[in-house]
């Protein structure tokens, strides 16, 4: 190995001389993008044979295994190159680390593995998850019913899948030279959804069902809401502006649906 650091140490986990809470929260917003893949597993609940319980176990096991792998590889990379300021471009940091350990061969192998995992596997998983969400909303009459069409042979929501593919292609071409901004915009949307989920937990269990489980149905959601809110503060201005506009559009669309639903019920 070439360019290895000073051996095993706990500094990659915590170094008082370089610790910055705002930087940690910014990094957390990037980590949210990785969590979206695990969350997407839940959208395939109707296509599994084990039911909701199997899906829940799949999410937890995937989160634990992949999370451990992420932590280990990041820790080892920080041991090899302790000073991250030495990287010319943080987006290619892992490739530089791979080159220090195994030379050009390992750099090329890391590049190929990244293309296969991110370019194909992750993209397909994300597209499958999003198309199932659109399918479910269309089936519940919250989106045009055409998105609820199921392919007669493959039994998959092919219209919503095609729509997601087209939008993904257009967005990818638009931000192909600015993936960092795109990631923050996606993260802002995900974080906003997570904030709403925490509010929904309190509303459903604590307010409507009068739950006495204060820890799970009140305290934990409040803690999660505060942490996610702090992470969102550290996103760039453009991401927060686009996320805010998208949220307002969603609220407006929801209110329109409610009005139309009430009018339909009154006519019946």
């Amino acid at each position: 190995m070439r360019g290895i650091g000073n051996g095993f140490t706990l500094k990659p986990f915590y170094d008082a001389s370089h610790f910055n809470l705002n930087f940690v929260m910014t990094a957390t917003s990037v980590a949210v993008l990785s969590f979206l893949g695990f969350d997407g597993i839940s959208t395939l609940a109707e296509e599994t044979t084990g039911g909701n319980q199997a899906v829940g176990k799949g999410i937890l096991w995937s989160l634990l295994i992949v999370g451990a792998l992420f932590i280990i590889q990041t820790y080892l990379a920080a041991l090899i190159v302790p000073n991250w300021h030495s990287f010319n471009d943080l987006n290619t940091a892992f490739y530089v680390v791979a080159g220090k350990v195994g030379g050009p061969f390992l750099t090329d192998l890391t590049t190929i593995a990244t293309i296969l995992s991110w370019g194909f596997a992750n993209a397909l998983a994300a597209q499958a998850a999003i198309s199932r969400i659109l399918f479910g909303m269309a089936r519940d009459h919250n989106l045009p019913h055409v998105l609820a069409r199921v392919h007669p042979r493959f039994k998959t929501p092919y219209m919503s899948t095609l729509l997601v593919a087209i939008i993904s292609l257009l967005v990818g071409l638009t931000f192909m030279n600015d993936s960092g901004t795109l990631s923050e915009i996606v993260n802002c949307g995900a974080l906003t959804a997570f904030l709403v989920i925490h509010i929904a937990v309190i509303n459903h269990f604590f307010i409507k069902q009068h739950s006495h489980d204060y820890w799970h149905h009140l305290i934990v959601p409040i803690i999660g809401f505060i942490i996610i809110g702090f992470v969102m503060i550290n996103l760039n201005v453009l991401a927060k502006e686009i996320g805010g506009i998208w949220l307002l559009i969603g609220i407006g669309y929801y209110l329109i649906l409610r009005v139309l639903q009430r009018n339909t019920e009154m006519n019946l």
Side-chain angles (χ1 to χ4, degrees):
M1 292 185 182
R2 301 187 296 272
I4 303 301
N6 298 320
F8 290 97
T9 175
L10 293 178
K11 282 191 174 183
F13 289 104
Y14 179 74
D15 186 354
S17 60
H18 294 91
F19 181 78
N20 186 305
L21 184 59
N22 289 332
F23 186 78
V24 171
M25 290 298 115
T26 302
T28 303
S29 69
V30 177
V32 168
L33 189 61
S34 299
F35 175 78
L36 293 180
F38 304 104
D39 187 58
I41 297 175
S42 62
T43 63
L44 303 176
E46 295 184 14
E47 300 175 49
T48 61
T49 57
N52 293 335
Q53 188 174 6
V55 172
K57 289 181 179 179
I59 294 175
L60 290 176
W61 277 109
S62 299
L63 181 60
L64 291 173
I65 294 173
V66 178
L69 291 175
F70 282 170
I71 293 172
I72 292 172
Q73 70 179 13
T74 305
Y75 171 69
L76 293 176
L79 291 178
I80 295 168
V81 184
N83 183 15
W84 62 271
H85 293 285
S86 62
F87 294 113
N88 294 325
D89 185 357
L90 291 179
N91 292 321
T92 60
F94 265 102
Y95 304 105
V96 175
V97 173
K100 288 181 175 293
V101 175
F105 170 76
L106 190 56
T107 301
D108 294 340
L109 185 62
T110 303
T111 303
I112 294 173
T114 301
I115 293 173
L116 294 177
S117 61
W118 286 88
F120 292 97
N122 282 12
L124 289 174
Q127 183 168 329
I130 297 171
S131 64
R132 268 63 179 180
I133 293 175
L134 296 181
F135 165 77
M137 294 180 66
R139 186 177 57 183
D140 294 337
H141 307 290
N142 294 320
L143 286 176
H145 190 67
V146 65
L147 297 176
R149 290 183 181 177
V150 176
H151 196 278
R153 177 183 175 186
F154 301 109
K155 307 301 179 182
T156 56
Y158 69 104
M159 292 302 295
S160 59
T161 301
L162 290 174
L163 177 63
V164 172
I166 293 172
I167 294 176
S168 299
L169 178 61
L170 295 176
V171 172
L173 292 174
T174 303
F175 290 92
M176 62 185 304
N177 295 320
D178 194 8
S179 59
T181 300
L182 177 60
S183 296
E184 291 219 20
I185 293 173
V186 174
N187 289 340
C188 186
L191 290 169
T192 303
F194 293 156
L195 285 177
V196 175
I197 288 174
H198 284 78
I199 296 174
V201 169
I202 297 174
N203 179 65
H204 179 74
F205 290 103
F206 190 74
I207 297 178
K208 289 186 176 181
Q209 296 190 356
H210 305 289
S211 172
H212 296 289
D213 188 350
Y214 296 101
W215 174 252
H216 290 101
H217 298 154
L218 181 63
I219 298 176
V220 171
I222 290 176
I223 294 175
F225 185 92
I226 293 173
I227 294 174
I228 294 175
F230 190 78
V231 172
M232 290 190 66
I233 294 175
N234 291 275
L235 295 175
N236 68 41
V237 177
L238 177 61
K240 287 186 283 190
E241 289 178 348
I242 294 179
I245 294 172
W246 190 246
L247 178 61
L248 292 176
I249 293 174
I251 294 174
Y253 182 69
Y254 170 76
L255 294 176
I256 292 173
L257 288 178
R258 289 296 300 270
V259 171
L260 294 176
Q261 183 180 6
R262 289 181 179 179
N263 291 337
T264 301
E265 292 175 351
M266 291 176 63
N267 293 331
L268 294 176

